Coordinates of all heavy atoms in Angstrom, one line a residue:
Chain A
R252 N 2.8 -34.5 22.6 CA 3.6 -33.3 22.2 C 4.2 -32.7 23.5 O 3.5 -32.7 24.6 CB 2.8 -32.3 21.5 CG 2.2 -32.7 20.2 CD 3.3 -32.9 19.1 NE 2.8 -33.3 17.8 CZ 2.5 -34.5 17.4 NH1 2.7 -35.5 18.2 NH2 2.1 -34.7 16.2
Chain B
M25 N 11.8 -34.8 10.3 CA 11.1 -34.3 11.5 C 10.4 -32.9 11.1 O 11.0 -32.2 10.3 CB 12.2 -33.9 12.6 CG 11.6 -33.2 13.8 SD 12.9 -32.8 15.0 CE 13.8 -31.6 14.1
K26 N 9.3 -32.8 11.6 CA 8.5 -31.5 11.4 C 8.6 -30.7 12.7 O 8.1 -31.1 13.7 CB 7.1 -31.8 11.0 CG 7.0 -32.6 9.7 CD 5.5 -33.1 9.5 CE 5.4 -34.0 8.3 NZ 4.1 -34.7 8.3
L27 N 9.2 -29.6 12.6 CA 9.5 -28.8 13.8 C 8.8 -27.4 13.8 O 8.9 -26.7 12.8 CB 11.0 -28.5 13.9 CG 11.5 -27.6 15.0 CD1 11.3 -28.2 16.4 CD2 13.0 -27.3 14.8
V28 N 8.1 -27.1 14.8 CA 7.5 -25.8 14.9 C 8.3 -25.0 16.0 O 8.4 -25.5 17.1 CB 6.0 -25.8 15.2 CG1 5.6 -26.6 16.5 CG2 5.4 -24.4 15.3
E47 N 12.8 -31.4 8.2 CA 12.2 -31.6 6.9 C 11.1 -30.6 6.7 O 11.0 -30.1 5.5 CB 11.6 -33.1 7.1 CG 10.4 -33.4 6.3 CD 9.6 -34.5 7.1 OE1 10.2 -35.2 7.9 OE2 8.4 -34.7 6.8
K48 N 10.5 -30.1 7.7 CA 9.4 -29.1 7.6 C 9.6 -28.1 8.8 O 9.7 -28.6 9.9 CB 8.0 -29.7 7.6 CG 6.9 -28.6 7.5 CD 5.5 -29.3 7.6 CE 4.4 -28.3 7.6 NZ 3.1 -28.9 7.7
L49 N 9.6 -26.9 8.5 CA 9.9 -25.9 9.6 C 8.7 -24.9 9.6 O 8.3 -24.4 8.6 CB 11.2 -25.1 9.4 CG 11.5 -24.0 10.4 CD1 11.7 -24.5 11.8 CD2 12.7 -23.2 10.0
G50 N 8.1 -24.7 10.8 CA 7.1 -23.7 11.1 C 7.7 -22.7 12.0 O 8.4 -23.1 13.0
D78 N 7.1 -22.1 7.1 CA 5.7 -21.5 7.1 C 5.7 -20.5 8.3 O 6.1 -20.9 9.4 CB 4.7 -22.6 7.3 CG 4.6 -23.6 6.2 OD1 4.7 -23.1 5.0 OD2 4.5 -24.8 6.4
Y80 N 3.9 -17.8 11.0 CA 2.6 -17.5 11.7 C 2.9 -16.4 12.7 O 4.0 -16.3 13.3 CB 2.0 -18.7 12.4 CG 1.9 -19.9 11.6 CD1 3.0 -20.8 11.4 CD2 0.7 -20.2 10.8 CE1 2.8 -22.0 10.6 CE2 0.6 -21.3 10.0 CZ 1.7 -22.2 9.9 OH 1.6 -23.3 9.1
K102 N 1.0 -15.7 8.5 CA -0.4 -15.9 8.7 C -0.7 -15.5 10.1 O 0.0 -15.9 11.1 CB -0.7 -17.4 8.5 CG -2.2 -17.7 8.3 CD -2.3 -19.2 8.0 CE -3.8 -19.6 8.2 NZ -3.9 -21.1 8.3
G107 N -5.9 -21.2 19.7 CA -6.5 -22.5 19.2 C -5.8 -23.0 18.0 O -5.5 -24.3 17.9
D108 N -5.4 -22.1 17.1 CA -4.7 -22.6 15.9 C -3.3 -23.1 16.3 O -2.8 -24.1 15.6 CB -4.5 -21.4 14.9 CG -5.8 -20.8 14.5 OD1 -6.7 -21.5 14.1 OD2 -6.0 -19.5 14.7
I109 N -2.7 -22.5 17.3 CA -1.4 -23.0 17.7 C -1.5 -24.4 18.2 O -0.7 -25.3 17.9 CB -0.8 -22.1 18.8 CG1 -0.3 -20.8 18.2 CG2 0.3 -22.8 19.6 CD1 0.3 -19.8 19.2
V110 N -2.6 -24.7 19.0 CA -2.8 -26.1 19.5 C -2.9 -27.0 18.3 O -2.3 -28.1 18.2 CB -4.1 -26.2 20.3 CG1 -4.4 -27.6 20.7 CG2 -3.9 -25.3 21.6
D111 N -3.6 -26.6 17.2 CA -3.8 -27.5 16.1 C -2.5 -27.7 15.3 O -2.2 -28.8 14.9 CB -4.8 -26.9 15.1 CG -6.3 -27.0 15.7 OD1 -6.5 -27.8 16.6 OD2 -7.1 -26.2 15.3
L112 N -1.7 -26.6 15.2 CA -0.4 -26.8 14.6 C 0.5 -27.8 15.3 O 1.1 -28.7 14.8 CB 0.4 -25.4 14.6 CG -0.1 -24.4 13.6 CD1 0.6 -23.1 13.8 CD2 0.0 -24.8 12.1
I113 N 0.5 -27.6 16.7 CA 1.3 -28.5 17.5 C 0.9 -30.0 17.3 O 1.8 -30.9 17.2 CB 1.3 -28.1 19.0 CG1 2.0 -26.8 19.2 CG2 1.8 -29.2 19.9 CD1 1.9 -26.2 20.6
F114 N -0.4 -30.2 17.3 CA -0.8 -31.6 17.3 C -0.9 -32.2 15.9 O -0.7 -33.4 15.7 CB -2.2 -31.7 18.0 CG -2.1 -31.9 19.5 CD1 -2.2 -30.8 20.4 CD2 -1.8 -33.1 20.1 CE1 -2.1 -30.9 21.7 CE2 -1.6 -33.3 21.4 CZ -1.8 -32.2 22.3
N115 N -1.3 -31.3 14.9 CA -1.6 -31.9 13.6 C -0.6 -31.7 12.5 O -0.4 -32.5 11.6 CB -3.0 -31.3 13.1 CG -4.1 -31.5 14.1 OD1 -4.1 -32.5 14.9 ND2 -5.0 -30.5 14.2
D116 N 0.1 -30.5 12.6 CA 1.0 -30.2 11.5 C 2.5 -30.5 11.8 O 3.3 -30.5 10.9 CB 0.9 -28.7 11.1 CG -0.5 -28.4 10.6 OD1 -1.5 -28.8 11.3 OD2 -0.7 -27.7 9.6
Y117 N 2.8 -30.5 13.1 CA 4.2 -30.7 13.4 C 4.3 -31.8 14.5 O 3.3 -32.1 15.1 CB 4.8 -29.4 13.9 CG 4.8 -28.3 12.8 CD1 3.7 -27.4 12.8 CD2 5.8 -28.2 11.9 CE1 3.7 -26.5 11.7 CE2 5.8 -27.3 10.9 CZ 4.7 -26.4 10.8 OH 4.7 -25.5 9.8
D118 N 5.6 -32.3 14.7 CA 5.7 -33.3 15.8 C 6.7 -32.9 16.9 O 6.7 -33.4 18.0 CB 6.1 -34.7 15.2 CG 7.0 -34.7 14.1 OD1 8.1 -34.1 14.2 OD2 6.6 -35.2 13.0
K119 N 7.5 -31.9 16.6 CA 8.4 -31.4 17.6 C 8.3 -29.9 17.8 O 7.9 -29.3 16.8 CB 9.9 -31.7 17.2 CG 10.2 -33.2 17.1 CD 10.3 -33.9 18.4 CE 10.6 -35.4 18.2 NZ 9.8 -36.3 19.0

Side-chain angles (χ1 to χ4, degrees):
Chain A
R252 297 291 186 271
Chain B
M25 175 182 68
K26 296 172 189 167
L27 173 70
V28 58
E47 149 206 343
K48 176 182 177 183
L49 177 63
D78 295 321
Y80 308 88
K102 194 175 164 198
D108 301 309
I109 286 182
V110 174
D111 291 338
L112 286 176
I113 289 175
F114 275 100
N115 306 328
D116 296 48
Y117 299 93
D118 35 57
K119 298 287 183 228

